[in-house]
Amino acid sequence: MMPRFMLFGEGNAKEQAFCEQSWRVGDRADDLLCCMYGRNHYLERNPRTVRVGGVDEAISVGRARGVDTIVMLAIEQFEAGHVEVLQSAGFRVFGVSASATFLENSKVRAKAFMKRHGVASAPSVPFGDAAEAERFLVKNWAHRRFVVKASCYLSDIKFSCTVPDTLEEAIEAVRRLSGHLAEMGAPGDMVLEERVEGREFSVHVLVDGADYRVLPMIRDYKQLLEGNKGPNTAGIGSIAVATDWDRDLMADLQSRVIQPTIDGLLREGIEYKFILYIGVMMTHDGPIALEYNVRPGTPEFPTLLALAKTSGLEMVEAIQDGKLGSLDLEWEDDEPCSVAVTLTTSGYPLSTDGLGEPIFGLEELDDDVWPLAEHMPAEPVPIASNGRVLTLVARGKSFQEARDRVYRNVDRIRFRGRYCRRDIGDLVALE
């Protein structure tokens, strides 16, 4: 049987999660080929995976295998124009056009978009000059607190977003970010976003152009240390539950954030048929948007996929065909809670300490946990090649059951300098 779909990517944890969920849910395992240019211990050992050197080779593989739709999940691919390249080669593409990536890779433009279309959002001020940003902080810090964010997309979290507690820390964050952008030769644009209080959630929305479906809400853990302290990370854990939420809260979220966003995209002629990931804060005044992401999150998206009884391929088809309204999204009801815990190297996110360490214990994991690798080669031996090394996901009838499964298996993974938070999910998170 020829595969209709081909995932093209580096083989990271969320791409592995999409492939493995699509292979094992439903009866369409042979419909998806994984075509990757990176390393992944689990995908490399799967016969449905092909390794390639880049987009040109992926096109050749897709044509040879009779693929008609290519799935991509990484903003780096969208920024590089791979969507347009693959469309020109004759494929349908599940991805975001380069012109729409501003929603994530230009926070200055994204915040302006929110203001234009009445999206409830955290107040912010854009700056193109670090000295001007410093003067603003000195003048305003006594009355307000600010988060320092790069306008462009930066994969290095220690530069992209800083949550300072003092004016001195805020000024240092501005200087550090400005210096990093200058070293990259990137524009010095940044955003000072007013720090708001409340419960923070991750919201993934399936968008087929005009219609949308909101997936179960996720509580993710960004800070490195237990009790939500320490530096920000790109994600060190998350939890989700596949049960109905407070209807009034969801109605507020849709009317204040999601619907104005969809309406704004339509008004500005931006075709968006993909997954929109919105960082949301539930404040005393109602839900507000913190930021947009034009790609699903890690480990947030795998935490959702662990609960989905509907194949990822069915979601892709419904979005591409404009049929989200008729998609029957099914979720686990026997084990509706999922918990993801990410293991990291000793230096993450501040340094490269711990990279290159061999990893042991992968063969000792229980079948009821889902191991997802980040840049971990299968041969000659698995090694830590990324600060975030491995994410384990488990389901349970309760958060406690899912946590017990995850941490029981976390303790079987061994590599020098291994670190993880031990409190993922115990703050119970989705009330």
Side-chain angles (χ1 to χ4, degrees):
M1 180 176 177
M2 302 286 273
R4 283 190 51 217
F5 296 85
M6 183 175 82
L7 180 132
F8 172 52
E10 65 180 352
N12 58 32
K14 70 184 164 197
E15 291 163 344
Q16 179 194 337
F18 178 87
C19 289
E20 292 186 347
Q21 195 266 1
S22 298
W23 287 332
R24 71 185 185 207
V25 172
D27 56 0
R28 301 179 57 180
D30 292 332
D31 236 5
L32 176 66
L33 176 72
C34 175
C35 183
M36 71 176 190
Y37 50 85
R39 305 300 302 270
N40 183 298
H41 175 78
Y42 298 99
L43 291 175
E44 288 177 42
R45 300 187 303 170
N46 192 297
R48 296 188 180 93
T49 297
V50 176
R51 292 193 65 210
V52 296
V55 66
D56 291 337
E57 196 173 344
I59 289 171
S60 297
V61 170
R63 286 171 172 165
R65 298 294 187 96
V67 167
D68 63 48
T69 300
I70 293 181
V71 175
M72 293 189 292
L73 301 176
I75 185 174
E76 293 89 347
Q77 294 174 304
F78 307 151
E79 289 178 318
H82 288 172
V83 168
E84 291 78 3
V85 169
L86 291 164
Q87 287 173 336
S88 296
F91 298 100
R92 297 183 78 191
V93 181
F94 183 69
V96 177
S97 67
S99 62
T101 58
F102 80 89
L103 291 168
E104 179 169 0
N105 68 13
S106 176
K107 287 189 171 52
V108 170
R109 292 180 61 194
K111 289 289 188 179
F113 173 92
M114 292 178 187
K115 290 176 183 177
R116 282 198 302 276
H117 299 290
V119 178
S121 62
S124 64
V125 183
F127 293 93
D129 178 76
E132 187 181 349
E134 288 183 36
R135 287 192 292 271
F136 177 88
L137 287 170
V138 170
K139 182 178 180 180
N140 291 277
W141 190 266
H143 311 289
R144 292 182 285 171
R145 297 291 183 268
F146 296 90
V147 179
V148 180
K149 294 184 175 183
S151 179
C152 65
Y153 169 74
L154 295 176
S155 60
D156 193 334
I157 190 68
K158 68 176 177 283
F159 294 108
S160 66
C161 178
T162 304
V163 185
D165 291 318
T166 67
L167 174 60
E168 292 73 22
E169 289 177 358
I171 290 173
E172 174 58 27
V174 166
R175 292 175 179 176
R176 190 171 60 244
L177 172 58
S178 178
H180 181 66
L181 293 172
E183 287 178 8
M184 293 174 56
D189 296 335
M190 63 184 69
V191 168
L192 298 183
E193 181 180 87
E194 190 166 327
R195 191 167 169 178
V196 291
E197 300 299 328
R199 296 172 294 152
E200 188 172 350
F201 295 95
S202 299
V203 181
H204 287 72
V205 186
L206 307 183
V207 185
D208 71 4
D211 200 3
Y212 65 88
R213 300 284 292 276
V214 184
L215 302 185
M217 299 255 269
I218 303 164
R219 188 73 176 267
D220 65 318
Y221 295 72
K222 286 288 196 293
Q223 289 180 272
L224 182 69
L225 304 178
E226 293 172 15
N228 291 325
K229 298 177 181 178
N232 264 357
T233 71
I236 201 166
S238 58
I239 66 172
V241 60
T243 56
D244 288 337
W245 268 62
D246 181 298
R247 290 187 179 180
D248 291 339
L249 183 150
M250 290 303 296
D252 277 352
L253 176 63
Q254 292 186 47
S255 64
R256 289 169 56 90
V257 174
I258 299 174
Q259 190 64 57
T261 296
I262 303 303
D263 291 343
L265 293 171
L266 290 170
R267 286 195 199 103
E268 298 196 10
I270 300 169
E271 184 178 65
Y272 198 96
K273 302 177 76 171
F274 194 65
I275 303 163
L276 183 63
Y277 166 25
I278 311 175
V280 172
M281 185 75 82
M282 301 299 180
T283 73
H284 290 302
D285 297 324
I288 63 170
L290 298 177
E291 62 185 17
Y292 297 127
N293 295 273
V294 295
R295 37 122 194 152
T298 304
E300 299 92 338
F301 191 52
T303 316
L304 277 180
L305 287 175
L307 297 175
K309 294 170 71 174
T310 301
S311 165
L313 292 182
E314 291 183 57
M315 299 181 201
V316 169
E317 279 186 318
I319 291 171
Q320 287 208 305
D321 295 339
K323 296 181 178 179
L324 270 181
S326 59
L327 176 65
D328 184 16
L329 273 174
E330 293 187 85
W331 302 94
E332 288 288 342
D333 46 17
D334 292 336
E335 294 182 330
C337 300
S338 62
V339 175
V341 175
T342 298
L343 288 74
T344 76
T345 57
S346 58
Y348 180 78
L350 302 177
S351 77
T352 57
D353 292 349
L355 294 183
E357 294 291 338
I359 300 165
F360 305 96
L362 297 176
E363 70 286 350
E364 301 171 23
L365 300 179
D366 292 334
D367 291 339
D368 58 6
V369 300
W370 194 6
L372 302 167
E374 292 282 1
H375 309 283
M376 181 197 301
E379 301 294 342
V381 295
I383 62 170
S385 300
N386 189 66
R388 292 192 297 175
V389 178
L390 186 73
T391 295
L392 300 185
V393 187
R395 292 200 310 260
K397 297 184 189 310
S398 64
F399 283 120
Q400 186 60 51
E401 183 175 86
R403 289 184 73 246
D404 289 345
R405 287 176 176 172
V406 164
Y407 282 113
R408 182 170 62 246
N409 285 271
V410 160
D411 292 336
R412 295 172 183 168
I413 302 297
R414 303 178 298 280
F415 57 92
R416 189 163 58 182
R418 186 204 75 178
Y419 172 77
C420 72
R421 277 182 61 165
R422 307 295 301 195
D423 64 344
I424 304 300
D426 72 352
L427 303 174
V428 155
L430 292 175
E431 72 279 356

